[in-house]
Amino acid sequence: MGHRSTMARSKGPTSLRRAIVTGAASGLGKAVAEALRDQGVSVIGADLRTTRIEGDVVADLTQPSGMQKVVDATESWGAVIHVAGLAADADPAAILRVNLVAPIAPTKALQKKARPNACVIAIASVAGNITDMNDRVLDAAMKLDPDGVAAFVNEHQLDSRDCYRLSKKALVEWCRRGPLAADGIRYNAISPGPINTALWDRAQAASPQVARGLVELVPHVPSPEEIAPAIAAFAGPAFAWVNGTNLPLDGGLAVLLAHRAETEKVNNNDGA
């Protein structure tokens, strides 16, 4: 007789029926929405711009009215995937509002409509590893509301790059602490490296030396269509037991960056 596992099976849904994807009008958000729809999932795309798809919502998720539009658009949901974001060359306060406040606040508003074992996926970044913000600042960032962002940026003297890195690190930490909420929702982050979108084009133009350094470590910069299937799968029932984690989708970039930094540190110490 074959071995029968004594572990309990997941009580989650056998299929993902409905998902909400932010930033669905272009880039990675659009690719994720399309990948889910290809799997037969009903998707509500939310973006500042129209996606021209029936059922999608034009909304500013940094504002209560925008959050309410998304809440009103669905009877229930099995996944919310937060893809919308600004690059590191945008206004510092805007970066925190879009990249951090917008994912956290609407999730709270949507909790009452979550299906059993629903999941929230926040698209973070390997850039979240490149910040020395202390826990006090990190905790304060995760509690921000839209009206308090500008004062927070001024208090801590943050520039655009600081805010971008902080926003991504805070998303990972928010998801890591997700299981503590005990609200029946699973929280996971995904941290890609560079993705071949308009945001990457702007990043290269703004910081060409940094961009070249990344490409030297991982020469292939994937398209949104290469990344999206992995994100869609992570939202599905095959991963219904995963909670409070961060999945790197970076081609090994985070490890290579850490190794390069350590090597430079050793070399500098040897030369001192």
Side-chain angles (χ1 to χ4, degrees), residues 183-222:
D183 57 7
I185 298 173
R186 296 177 296 110
Y187 296 83
N188 294 297
I190 293 179
S191 291
I195 303 173
N196 194 2
T197 65
L199 292 183
W200 172 240
D201 292 339
R202 286 169 54 187
Q204 291 182 92
S207 303
Q209 186 173 352
V210 173
R212 282 195 299 270
L214 297 179
V215 174
E216 286 173 2
L217 292 175
V218 181
H220 179 62
V221 177

Side-chain angles (χ1 to χ4, degrees), residues 21 24-25 33 37 43-47 50-58 73:
V21 179
R37 287 178 173 124
V43 176
I44 296 173
D47 205 298
T50 178
T51 64
R52 303 186 185 280
I53 295 177
E54 185 178 356
D56 281 359
V57 178
V58 178

Side-chain angles (χ1 to χ4, degrees), residues 112-177:
K112 292 182 179 179
K113 293 188 175 183
R115 291 178 56 81
N117 207 40
C119 73
V120 169
I121 294 177
I123 303 302
S125 168
V126 293
N129 299 329
I130 315 172
T131 179
D132 57 358
M133 294 291 174
N134 60 47
D135 289 344
R136 182 179 63 84
V137 176
L138 196 64
D139 288 343
M142 288 187 286
K143 297 173 183 176
L144 284 171
D145 60 44
D147 294 334
V149 171
F152 175 86
V153 170
N154 291 332
E155 176 187 355
H156 297 285
Q157 298 182 329
L158 304 175
D159 62 19
S160 295
R161 185 173 296 181
D162 293 332
C163 288
Y164 182 80
R165 292 173 175 175
L166 174 60
S167 72
K168 297 305 184 180
K169 183 175 182 177
L171 282 179
V172 172
E173 183 62 17
W174 174 57
C175 290
R176 188 186 72 82
R177 299 181 190 181

Side-chain angles (χ1 to χ4, degrees), residues 11-105:
K11 296 181 180 179
T14 57
S15 63
L16 177 61
R17 301 178 184 177
R18 184 175 292 110
I20 298 167
V21 179
T22 71
S26 62
L28 182 60
K30 180 180 179 180
V32 170
E34 290 175 347
L36 288 167
R37 287 178 173 124
D38 287 345
Q39 295 177 7
V41 178
S42 174
V43 176
I44 296 173
D47 205 298
L48 277 172
R49 295 176 294 157
T50 178
T51 64
R52 303 186 185 280
I53 295 177
E54 185 178 356
D56 281 359
V57 178
V58 178
D60 179 359
L61 297 184
T62 67
Q63 300 301 321
S65 59
M67 300 171 203
Q68 192 60 48
K69 287 179 71 173
V70 177
V71 172
D72 293 343
T74 182
E75 296 179 0
S76 65
W77 57 271
V80 174
I81 305 176
H82 294 292
V83 187
L86 295 179
D89 61 348
D91 173 76
I95 290 172
L96 286 181
R97 287 191 188 97
V98 174
N99 293 13
L100 183 60
V101 176
I104 293 177

